[in-house]
Amino acid sequence: MKHDVKIRTAECSCGQVSLICKGEPIRTAICHCFACQKRTGSVFGVQARFNKSQVSYSGDVVEFSRIGDSGNQVHYSFCPACGTTVMLTLSALSDFIVIPVGIFTNQELPQPSFSVYEQNKQSWLKFDCQIEAIS
């Protein structure tokens, strides 16, 4: 019996950068760190982690890197035309690509399984589903 591999597409706001993700993400997560709050302009980021072999992209990207709380580098790839963050990579987890959930053209992604940097979570923010909190 042949199993169909789910194909998901994602793109920046202007459409110059597009991604194709094959198969299911390793996980989806919510991050309340201040860097994600600044990156999204919202109170948290939601992203899906895929193996690098699952992701291909087209279009030009510009990169920005910073040192995370762990001391490892975080690399952001974003569209130079519209500024949408399209991918993140972590030097400590170089086999993975992290993609913001909001850029997928089809929102059928698994519910986030955990939430990190809860100490930075807005006090009024509540989730009505079970999500493991990891500090």
Side-chain angles (χ1 to χ4, degrees):
M1 185 165 129
K2 184 180 177 190
H3 294 286
D4 292 330
V5 174
K6 184 148 188 123
I7 306 292
R8 292 182 175 89
T9 59
E11 64 183 17
C12 65
S13 293
C14 72
Q16 190 266 128
V17 180
S18 60
L19 298 92
I20 297 173
C21 302
K22 296 179 181 175
E24 292 301 317
I26 305 305
R27 67 181 187 198
T28 56
I30 295 170
C31 183
H32 302 276
C33 80
F34 293 130
C36 279
Q37 290 183 34
K38 287 181 181 181
R39 176 181 61 81
T40 64
S42 187
V43 295
F44 57 82
V46 184
Q47 43 274 334
R49 182 182 296 181
F50 290 88
N51 282 308
K52 273 189 175 178
S53 62
Q54 293 176 270
V55 179
S56 60
Y57 76 95
S58 62
D60 294 326
V61 296
V62 176
E63 294 193 353
F64 167 74
S65 296
R66 68 174 182 85
I67 302 297
D69 293 343
S70 65
N72 295 307
Q73 280 198 319
V74 181
H75 306 280
Y76 300 88
S77 297
F78 53 95
C79 174
C82 67
T84 302
T85 303
V86 294
M87 294 178 283
L88 295 85
T89 56
L90 311 168
S91 62
L93 299 168
S94 59
D95 292 338
F96 300 100
I97 293 179
V98 178
I99 302 172
V101 167
I103 71 166
F104 283 91
T105 54
N106 180 337
Q107 297 297 319
E108 292 180 22
L109 284 151
Q111 172 183 311
S113 54
F114 66 92
S115 175
V116 296
Y117 285 92
E118 290 259 320
Q119 68 272 22
N120 299 341
K121 186 172 86 170
Q122 298 291 321
S123 61
W124 48 262
L125 184 62
K126 306 284 186 253
F127 296 106
D128 68 351
C129 54
Q130 190 66 26
I131 299 175
E132 181 182 354
I134 301 174
S135 293

